[in-house]
Amino acid sequence: MRRHHLIEEAKAELDVAYEEVKRAEHDLMGLEFEYNERVKEMNGHADPDALAELLNEKENRQQALELEQLYELQRRSTQRFALVSACFGIVGSIKDPTMTVDLIERLLFQESELRRNRVAIQRHLRAFQKSLRAYMLEDSSPENDRTVRGSWTAVEETLRELGREI
């Protein structure tokens, strides 16, 4: 059975991001519970400075969870997994290499990006399509796997050079 390591790694990256978000959200709920319990213990007799200090402590601890950064990591991981999966689906289901490259190009790149970089983009996409097709249909060897990874890395680097986060 052929294993698609690039997809597996993208999925594992997504799973890790999801678990980190879940952990941080759980910790956030714990902080809220702890804060509410500490306010209850004051039984309405706390001075405003003590309440402000308690609130400040809670907010600092919440910021330390870096939840917004984790959400962004999860978003990028989701996007990467979706794009890798879609590209694999296109290569696996479309026999015509020109149509395959065209579909992947439309999936990954905006028209304005293509106008300036079409030659390099198509070169990277053709290499990816060719290597993935060889891996899927001919030989799922470690060498072909490395070629798939290398060609996908070139595609991702092109996206990053264009200012895209993936």
Side-chain angles (χ1 to χ4, degrees), residues 33-47:
F33 179 78
E34 178 185 328
Y35 172 77
N36 290 335
E37 289 299 308
R38 289 172 70 183
V39 168
K40 277 187 207 176
E41 288 172 6
M42 294 177 178
N43 200 18
H45 301 299
D47 69 273

Side-chain angles (χ1 to χ4, degrees), residues 1-16 80-81 84-85 88 135 145 149:
M1 176 156 136
R2 295 183 197 275
R3 297 193 57 192
H4 298 293
H5 298 105
L6 190 60
I7 289 178
E8 289 174 4
E9 290 169 6
K11 176 66 166 81
E13 181 183 306
L14 176 57
D15 289 344
V16 167
R80 183 172 187 261
F81 176 70
V84 169
S85 298
F88 271 64
Y135 180 83
D145 184 51
R149 290 167 189 273

